[in-house]
């Protein structure tokens, strides 16, 4: 049985994680996409667990410890990006992996990133390396996805749109399934 851990990055009360006008809270987008992704994957026979909690901010160490204890196949953290705290032109999708990530993490990142770009038709900001706790402290392939900028007026509207949230979820589920298929085929 394959088990995946999906993390709706940050939490419902994390300060500053919102659009400049306050209409979009990052966690609201992250949790919506996580729930939709989970529905897709469950329909394909994948067990999905969450690292986040809708009623409290879960500390990063608690998220990574939980993932490691569950021995999940992969850790996927879903986010909405920001550049500062005012409206600006920054836009697009970017994907993060740990600087010394192994080949399976790199493959998962490539599949997820390509799938998001194809489904969402946003600017490609690339696959980048970062020393984020959820990437560094997990023992399985771990990827952090940034699905658009809350500080870009156009993308903030998309992040609020249930259709865009569904596009992101479809893309993430497709990328995960493609990765699992490649693992099965060796």
């Amino acid at each position: 049985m394959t088990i995946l851990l999906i993390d709706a990055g940050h939490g419902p009360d994390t300060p500053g994680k919102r659009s400049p006008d306050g209409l979009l809270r990052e966690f609201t987008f992250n949790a919506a996409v996580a729930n939709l992704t989970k529905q897709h994957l469950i329909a394909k026979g994948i067990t999905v667990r969450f690292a986040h909690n809708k009623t409290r901010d879960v500390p990063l160490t608690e998220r990574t410890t939980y993932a490691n204890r569950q021995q999940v196949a992969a850790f996927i953290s879903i986010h909405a990006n920001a550049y500062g705290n005012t409206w600006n032109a920054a836009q697009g999708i970017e994907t993060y992996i740990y600087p010394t990530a192994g080949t399976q993490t790199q493959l998962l990142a490539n599949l997820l990133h390509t799938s998001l770009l194809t489904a969402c038709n946003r600017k490609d900001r690339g696959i980048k390396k970062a020393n984020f706790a959820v990437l560094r402290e997990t023992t399985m392939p771990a990827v952090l996805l940034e699905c658009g900028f809350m500080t870009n007026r156009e993308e903030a509207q998309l992040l609020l749109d249930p259709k865009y949230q569904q596009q992101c979820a479809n893309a993430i589920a497709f990328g995960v399934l493609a990765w699992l298929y490649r693992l099965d085929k060796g």
Side-chain angles (χ1 to χ4, degrees):
M1 171 174 57
T2 301
I3 304 170
L4 292 174
L5 193 131
I6 296 177
D7 175 41
H10 305 293
D13 300 317
T14 305
K17 300 297 182 182
R18 59 186 47 89
S19 60
D21 60 8
L23 294 177
L24 171 65
R25 287 180 178 251
E26 182 180 357
F27 182 76
T28 303
F29 169 80
N30 300 347
V33 175
N35 286 327
L36 292 166
T37 303
K38 180 179 182 177
Q39 290 172 15
H40 284 295
L41 294 173
I42 286 173
K44 297 295 184 184
I46 309 299
T47 300
V48 176
R49 299 209 171 107
F50 286 153
H52 59 278
N53 185 304
K54 64 182 179 180
T55 62
R56 69 179 179 94
D57 288 4
V58 178
L60 295 175
T61 54
E62 188 176 327
R63 292 172 193 241
T64 57
T65 299
Y66 177 71
N68 293 337
R69 250 187 288 148
Q70 296 295 311
Q71 298 180 343
V72 297
F75 183 103
I76 299 165
S77 191
I78 299 168
H79 291 260
N81 217 338
Y83 181 70
N85 56 11
T86 59
W87 296 116
N88 57 67
Q91 63 177 299
I93 292 172
E94 55 191 14
T95 300
Y96 287 91
I97 59 175
Y98 190 64
T100 59
T103 56
Q104 285 306 318
T105 300
Q106 292 173 34
L107 175 60
L108 177 60
N110 282 321
L111 291 167
L112 288 168
H113 189 74
T114 301
S115 187
L116 277 168
L117 290 173
T118 302
C120 299
N121 196 31
R122 306 307 306 157
K123 179 181 177 183
D124 182 356
R125 294 179 60 91
I127 297 174
K128 301 176 178 182
K129 297 183 177 184
N131 189 23
F132 298 145
V134 295
L135 304 177
R136 179 184 65 244
E137 302 300 327
T138 46
T139 58
M140 72 291 302
V143 176
L144 187 143
L145 305 169
E146 296 280 8
C147 299
F149 278 79
M150 297 181 294
T151 52
N152 178 291
R153 287 185 191 273
E154 179 187 352
E155 289 194 347
Q157 287 303 308
L158 286 173
L159 294 165
L160 283 166
D161 186 345
K163 290 179 190 169
Y164 185 78
Q165 294 169 7
Q166 187 69 62
Q167 284 176 290
C168 291
N170 292 348
I172 294 166
F174 182 85
V176 166
L177 292 169
W179 179 72
L180 290 171
Y181 177 79
R182 290 202 182 176
L183 284 181
D184 287 344
K185 297 300 175 193

